[in-house]
């Protein structure tokens, strides 16, 4: 009997690693309404943060598609419309594979790979595994872990302790129920800066607990090709976060980095989708 | 309803006779303000990737298109386990509607995707405008996909899955089995199709309402006939409240005749 991998193991070789030589996709077949836009059509893969799902990008996706770009918004396993698949074994490696496989199965090349907040760790892991498919990494107010670092390694010890306590008391030992001890209403409006009533309601109906491996597992970052991929950092200045400030300083100095900032709350993709779209297009062009 | 049935049949005939020349002319898309929402569900062994030739032109024309991949397949193949049942497939699909808050949806289920589509129509009819069975399987209430097949075919598939993976997965058939003979297309399918979770063929479909749940339904049958859906077509033809359309295409019509598929579903 052949052993079949469970969640958390590498994909089945025969089916999850389609050969790179096959280049048949829709991209060459479709009409190109984008020629008139003055910008080469790009492929955007937008990775939502913990607790969210593809729905997080609802306002940005149509703006990018209207301009003729291809947009993919995978939902990480165990979250959003994939929350029926949540289980203790799901961690960062599954989430990295969730995205790596989208690049492979949809034959995506020269991708603008965007990660918001905790998914900075996800896109870092994706770059390590599929650097040849990525044209630009964009960290949107996101964590930038070094090799061996987890998201939890990048928050203060006090905060980490508070979150680990939440996992124990409200998450059955494997789910992080939310971003911080206060209720979601407070987090969404006071910490993330989403104040429109409809937006708040929309989010409260959709936020789901996140398997804690997403935060605890260290990122793998050893591929030299991945370290050569151009990258950009977008800092949302209205969200106080010393770690993100450090990342912003690093991006302003780094040769491989470009840096932009917005006078925006952490959830700029929800509150200022036009500005986020413009910035992404600017960085991608 | 009868008038619509005739119209669709005529459209399909026209598409069939025009062949590839039709493709270039059919790109105009909808008038502004006629944005529609499509959910395209793949069949066995396939993933959301198989719809790219249908989804991208529809999006370029301004429609909203979702192509979820069922758990354990395609870019979700790293999640394979023996616990993936038809119930998981139905939940995969229903959740997309609920999290994305989709309404007035044209739901297209291809091949085995017709089974989860029937389940979604049963559970969330208020979100669906039209169900399209694209040369798909339709299970009767309480029936599994294996129940719906000749017993010897089901037994052969179980045996293959046992040999291939200890009974967890059914191996991928040759692209010819999907009617695809073009070498580049066949290579694409070969590269992207993944083994299919066997349990989804063993699970009996639970329905609380009659098949289709009173929604408008169109069955699209490819010509020449695709063996595994022949019996289902007989059922579809008996449903006088449904549209029945024939299309000159391979079973994988979304690969072989994407523009014809676009033309049919974008007129609904």
């Amino acid at each position: 009997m052949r052993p079949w991998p469970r969640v958390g193991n590498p994909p089945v070789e025969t089916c999850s690693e389609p050969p790179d030589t096959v280049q048949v996709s829709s991209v060459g077949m479709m009409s190109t309404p984008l020629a008139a836009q003055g910008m080469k059509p790009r492929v955007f893969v937008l990775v939502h943060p913990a607790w969210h799902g593809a729905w997080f990008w609802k306002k940005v996706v149509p703006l990018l598609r209207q301009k003729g770009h291809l947009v993919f918004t995978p939902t990480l396993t165990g979250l959003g419309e994939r929350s029926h698949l949540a289980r203790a074994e799901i961690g960062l490696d599954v989430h990295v594979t969730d995205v790596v496989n989208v690049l492979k199965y949809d034959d995506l090349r020269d991708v603008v790979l965007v990660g918001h907040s905790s998914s900075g760790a996800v896109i870092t892991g994706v770059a390590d595994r599929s650097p040849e498919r990525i044209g630009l990494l964009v960290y949107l107010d996101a964590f930038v872990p070094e090799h061996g670092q987890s998201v939890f390694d990048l928050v203060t010890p006090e905060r980490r302790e508070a979150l680990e306590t939440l996992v124990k008391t409200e998450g059955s030992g494997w789910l992080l129920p939310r971003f911080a001890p206060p209720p979601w209403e407070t987090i969404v409006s006071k910490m993330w800066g989403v104040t429109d009533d409809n937006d708040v309601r929309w989010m409260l109906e959709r936020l789901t607990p996140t398997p804690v491996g997403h935060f605890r597992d260290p990122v793998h970052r050893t591929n030299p090709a991945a370290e050569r991929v151009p990258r950009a950092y977008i800092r949302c200045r209205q969200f106080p976060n010393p770690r993100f400030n450090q990342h912003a300083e690093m991006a302003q100095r780094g040769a491989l980095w470009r840096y932009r900032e917005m006078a925006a709350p952490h959830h700029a993709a929800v509150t200022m989708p036009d500005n986020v779209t413009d910035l992404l297009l600017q960085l991608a062009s | 309803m009868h008038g619509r049935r005739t119209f669709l049949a005529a459209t399909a005939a026209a598409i069939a006779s025009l062949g590839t020349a039709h493709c270039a002319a059919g790109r105009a898309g909808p008038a502004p303000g006629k944005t529609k929402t499509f959910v395209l569900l793949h069949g066995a062994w396939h993933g959301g990737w198989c719809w790219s030739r249908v989804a991208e032109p529809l999006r370029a024309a301004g429609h909203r298109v979702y192509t979820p991949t069922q758990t354990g397949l395609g870019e979700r193949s790293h999640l394979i386990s023996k616990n993936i049942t038809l119930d998981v497939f139905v939940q995969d699909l229903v959740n997309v509607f609920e999290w994305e808050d989709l309404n007035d949806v044209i739901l297209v289920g291809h091949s085995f995707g017709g089974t989860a589509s029937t389940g979604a129509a049963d559970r969330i009819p208020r979100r669906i405008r039209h169900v399209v069975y694209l040369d798909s399987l339709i299970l009767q209430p309480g029936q599994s996909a294996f129940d719906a097949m000749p017993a010897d075919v089901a037994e052969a598939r179980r045996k293959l899955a046992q040999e291939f993976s200890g009974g967890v997965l059914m191996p991928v058939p040759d692209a010819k089995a999907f009617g695809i003979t073009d070498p580049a297309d066949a290579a694409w399918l070969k590269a992207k199709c993944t083994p299919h979770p066997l349990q989804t063929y063993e699970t009996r479909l639970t329905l609380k309402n009659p098949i289709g749940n009173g929604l408008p339904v169109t069955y699209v049958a490819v010509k020449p006939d695709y063996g595994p859906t022949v019996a289902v077509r007989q059922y579809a033809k008996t449903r006088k409240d449904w549209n029945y359309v024939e299309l000159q295409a391979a079973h994988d019509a979304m690969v072989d005749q994407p523009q014809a598929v676009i033309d049919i579903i974008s007129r609904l």
Side-chain angles (χ1 to χ4, degrees), chain A residues 2 4 12 14-15, chain B residues 43-46 72-73 80 146 149 153-175 177-178 189-190 192-201 226:
Chain A
R2 278 174 74 175
W4 290 95
V12 179
T14 50
C15 56
Chain B
W45 299 290
H46 293 60
L73 291 160
I80 195 68
F146 278 153
M149 289 177 186
V153 176
E155 217 32 62
R157 288 206 181 177
R158 285 192 185 102
K159 189 162 174 281
L160 254 183
Q162 190 58 40
E163 290 163 3
F164 178 68
S165 62
V168 177
L169 294 165
M170 292 187 288
V172 180
D174 192 89
F178 308 124
L189 292 186
K190 186 167 187 237
K192 298 291 154 68
C193 281
T194 48
H196 188 93
L198 181 79
Q199 277 307 315
T200 62
Y201 272 63
Y226 175 67

Side-chain angles (χ1 to χ4, degrees), chain A residues 188-201:
Chain A
V188 168
S189 58
K190 300 283 191 300
M191 298 182 179
W192 289 346
V194 180
T195 49
D196 178 271
D197 286 347
N198 289 331
D199 286 345
V200 172
R201 199 176 317 120

Side-chain angles (χ1 to χ4, degrees), chain A residues 25-187:
Chain A
S25 80
S26 66
V27 181
M29 291 193 56
M30 62 180 286
S31 53
T32 48
L34 357 92
Q37 307 281 344
M39 178 183 168
K40 183 163 85 92
R42 296 295 303 256
V43 179
F44 290 86
V45 176
L46 313 178
V47 185
H48 66 81
W51 306 290
H52 298 67
W55 58 266
F56 173 72
W57 301 106
K58 183 177 186 169
K59 297 188 186 186
V60 173
V61 171
L63 298 174
L64 287 170
R65 285 199 177 131
Q66 271 162 27
K67 294 189 190 312
H69 303 284
L70 291 183
V71 187
F72 296 80
T73 56
T75 290
L76 303 176
T77 300
L79 298 165
E81 81 272 14
R82 300 273 164 186
S83 52
H84 59 302
L85 305 176
R87 47 194 284 186
E89 293 83 354
I90 294 165
L92 186 61
D93 187 55
V94 172
H95 288 168
V96 168
T97 307
D98 288 340
V99 181
V100 165
N101 278 352
V102 170
L103 305 186
K104 288 182 175 167
Y105 280 87
D106 289 296
D107 283 321
L108 307 183
R109 295 269 169 189
D110 198 24
V111 168
V112 180
L113 179 61
V114 182
H116 177 254
S117 201
S118 71
S119 277
V122 176
I123 65 169
T124 303
V126 173
D128 195 72
R129 283 178 51 189
S130 300
E132 73 286 356
R133 294 182 180 274
I134 303 169
L136 177 68
L137 283 171
V138 181
Y139 293 83
L140 174 55
D141 224 27
F143 291 98
V144 189
E146 297 296 330
H147 175 65
Q149 276 184 331
S150 68
V151 169
F152 271 179
D153 290 336
L154 293 172
V155 302
T156 62
E158 298 74 33
R159 185 163 159 71
R160 180 177 188 155
E161 203 188 316
L163 295 177
E164 290 284 13
T165 301
L166 272 182
V167 172
K168 277 196 210 103
T169 55
E170 294 181 42
S172 310
W174 63 277
L175 285 166
L176 182 54
R178 56 191 183 277
F179 173 76
W184 270 130
E185 289 88 332
T186 311
I187 295 166

Side-chain angles (χ1 to χ4, degrees), chain B residues 16-36:
Chain B
S17 66
L18 285 166
T20 51
H22 187 78
C23 291
R27 289 241 162 83
K34 296 260 180 181
T35 299
K36 293 172 183 168

Side-chain angles (χ1 to χ4, degrees), chain A residues 4 16 75 82 84 98 206, chain B residues 69 76-78 92 99 165:
Chain A
W4 290 95
S16 293
T75 290
R82 300 273 164 186
H84 59 302
D98 288 340
R206 284 171 175 73
Chain B
T69 293
R76 302 276 166 184
S77 54
H78 57 303
D92 287 343
W99 256 267
S165 62

